[in-house]
Amino acid sequence: MNFFDQTFYLSENNTNIKQECLTGLTTFVSMAYILFVNPSVLGVAGMDKGAVFTATALSAIIGCFLMGILANYPIAIAPGLGDNAFFTYSVVLAMGIPWQKAMAGVFVASVLFTILSFLKVWEIVINAIPKDLKYAMAAGIGIFISFVGLQGGGIIVSSKSSLVELGSLTVPTTWITIFGIFLIAILMVKKVPGAIFIGLVATTLLGLLTGLVKMPDHLISMAPSLEPTFGVGIKFLPTMTDPKMWAVVLIFLLVAFFDTAGTLVGLAQEAGLMKDNKMPRIGRALMADSLSMLGGAVMGTTPTSAYVESSAGIAVGGKTGLTAIVTGTLFILSMAFSPLLEVVTTQVTAAALIVVGVLMVSALKDIEWDKFEIALTYNISYGIAFGFLTYPILMVAAGRRKEVNVVMWSMFFVFIALLYILNVLPK
């Protein structure tokens, strides 16, 4: 007890080992869905699902342990849903960049993220960018994730006349997704810890009982090999001579940073850890995330992020880094259950994507819609870029030029270059 008390300051935070173990378990159950959702999403890009499963677990283990030891916060880390969706659907499928080349972009973004964390540049950036743009980025990613889930579940399909239309409700697997959405929503309304994970399990069982999902040959095995994805990003570094890859790196940097920073501050506020409207040890927390992000890029997964599901653990009393350590330990044990990847199909994971996306979209409520120069900026029409482009222009037009700082003007020109690279340079 003395070791844990001296390491995590349990007494000082009015908690104990039993309480922190319970909160660690609660956090794990709330976010364990990522073990199956991440391989499902990155598998669409052509990546080996087994290798991604192992990389997901290992990067979560690294992130959770570093968060607990370096920052002593009850906040868990794992590959983020926004980053993997952007990787698969925007970079690999839309831009036609092979996943191996895209992983090189992830690796470079991870290295830059780590360097900027060491230099404390992120702390300057987070204070310089308007809060409304931060909210809009989270909401935009949420809309994207939900859309991917709706497509994967067959609830919406492409249409020549209206672009998107309701999918056929006569397809049995679509009802698996619909069942999952309603179950998770009911559990969340009832404030049941681990609602998404429980919904994932129940939806899988429904698929097995109805014969729509095939039972795997076995349930427990050694973790799949990392060989198909390990070091691929480093191997393909020479492809970074393509200007389009630097546009990809910039987006990965911004998405990873705002996803993590926004979640960290929100969770610290919920846990009562904020002091004078500032988050103590935020530099260490960002360092924990950046190092796990770097490790994940080497092993073969998209950037990691602080998980909002940590709020489930905080709600039941999590106050120190011991919570994160327990969560990381449970990720170690979970590595034995990779055969379940066969039963957690796209239709099963779609419900989780839709619900998580909806939760992220809630950030829209905090945008100042009554101020036109702000409201027009965050329409999510072409992603993050237009937000950084229109903000300075409209603020100047509104006579608020002095409110636009050097960082925002710098980002303005960076995003002009980004749009030029993505749209004007030869493909």
Side-chain angles (χ1 to χ4, degrees):
M1 175 62 183
N2 288 334
F3 169 78
F4 289 105
D5 196 32
Q6 293 173 6
T7 303
F8 301 104
Y9 305 99
L10 302 181
S11 299
E12 184 178 323
N13 287 283
N14 298 315
T15 186
N16 54 60
I17 295 177
K18 180 181 178 180
Q19 182 69 29
E20 295 294 297
C21 287
L22 174 63
T23 57
L25 172 62
T26 302
T27 299
F28 173 77
V29 171
S30 299
M31 63 182 291
Y33 65 86
I34 194 60
L35 286 167
F36 305 102
V37 175
N38 199 41
S40 176
V41 173
L42 295 184
V44 175
M47 297 183 69
D48 183 275
K49 290 185 179 181
V52 173
F53 174 88
T54 303
T56 300
L58 289 175
S59 59
I61 293 165
I62 294 171
C64 289
F65 273 76
L66 287 175
M67 181 63 77
I69 295 170
L70 293 180
N72 195 27
Y73 281 136
I75 298 173
I77 291 176
L81 273 180
D83 298 279
N84 60 13
F86 172 73
F87 179 95
T88 295
Y89 296 96
S90 294
V91 179
V92 176
L93 298 184
M95 297 176 65
I97 296 175
W99 73 263
Q100 296 91 338
K101 186 176 177 180
M103 193 53 68
V106 172
F107 177 76
V108 172
S110 301
V111 172
L112 293 176
F113 193 103
T114 303
I115 293 173
L116 293 173
S117 295
F118 269 110
L119 298 177
K120 297 184 178 181
V121 172
W122 286 135
E123 295 180 39
I124 298 172
V125 173
I126 195 171
N127 292 325
I129 295 179
K131 64 180 182 358
D132 295 272
L133 186 51
K134 298 170 189 173
Y135 296 144
M137 291 174 72
I141 295 167
I143 292 171
F144 184 50
I145 292 173
S146 290
F147 189 75
V148 168
L150 290 168
Q151 284 184 310
I155 296 176
I156 60 173
V157 295
S158 60
S159 169
K160 291 183 179 180
S161 59
S162 59
L163 298 182
V164 175
E165 65 182 12
L166 184 67
S168 175
L169 297 181
T170 61
V171 178
T173 52
T174 299
W175 284 99
I176 292 180
T177 300
I178 294 173
F179 169 81
I181 295 171
F182 277 98
L183 178 59
I184 293 173
I186 291 171
L187 292 174
M188 294 187 74
V189 169
K190 295 289 186 181
K191 301 188 184 301
V192 176
I196 295 176
F197 181 70
I198 294 172
L200 200 68
V201 172
T203 306
T204 301
L205 291 175
L206 175 64
L208 291 170
L209 291 173
T210 57
L212 297 174
V213 175
K214 294 182 179 180
M215 178 70 76
D217 297 330
H218 47 282
L219 297 178
I220 298 176
S221 73
M222 293 290 291
S225 172
L226 281 173
E227 185 178 357
T229 59
F230 188 84
V232 171
I234 298 175
K235 181 180 178 181
F236 277 77
L237 280 177
T239 63
M240 289 303 299
T241 53
D242 182 355
K244 285 185 173 61
M245 288 304 302
W246 288 99
V248 171
V249 168
L250 176 61
I251 296 295
F252 269 127
L253 266 177
L254 291 174
V255 171
F257 170 65
F258 285 111
D259 194 8
T260 293
T263 303
L264 283 174
V265 172
L267 291 173
Q269 190 75 48
E270 181 180 349
L273 300 171
M274 299 291 284
K275 295 181 179 179
D276 299 323
N277 201 34
K278 293 183 179 180
M279 182 179 177
R281 307 185 301 281
I282 189 171
R284 294 187 180 186
L286 288 170
M287 184 58 61
D289 182 60
S290 65
L291 292 175
S292 63
M293 179 178 170
L294 183 59
V298 173
M299 292 183 287
T301 186
T302 43
T304 55
S305 171
Y307 259 62
V308 71
E309 284 81 5
S310 300
S311 61
I314 291 173
V316 295
K319 295 181 179 179
T320 74
L322 183 55
T323 290
I325 297 294
V326 172
T327 302
T329 302
L330 291 172
F331 269 109
I332 295 176
L333 299 177
S334 71
M335 293 179 70
F337 296 94
S338 63
L340 294 178
L341 281 170
E342 296 180 26
V343 300
V344 184
T345 63
T346 301
Q347 289 75 27
V348 171
T349 57
L353 289 171
I354 294 166
V355 171
V356 172
V358 169
L359 292 175
M360 295 177 70
V361 172
S362 65
L364 287 174
K365 71 180 188 301
D366 296 314
I367 293 176
E368 297 181 70
W369 296 104
D370 58 324
K371 295 180 180 178
F372 190 75
E373 65 271 20
I374 290 177
L376 183 61
T377 301
Y378 311 115
N379 56 29
I380 326 296
S381 61
Y382 193 66
I384 298 167
F386 281 115
F388 280 93
L389 289 175
T390 56
Y391 179 82
I393 295 172
L394 293 180
M395 289 295 281
V396 170
R400 299 169 63 182
R401 181 178 58 82
K402 293 183 179 180
E403 296 180 40
V404 183
N405 54 53
V406 175
V407 172
M408 287 304 298
W409 280 117
S410 299
M411 297 303 289
F412 174 81
F413 291 107
V414 165
F415 275 100
I416 288 178
L418 182 148
L419 290 177
Y420 175 81
I421 291 171
L422 291 178
N423 295 280
V424 180
L425 289 185
K427 295 185 181 295

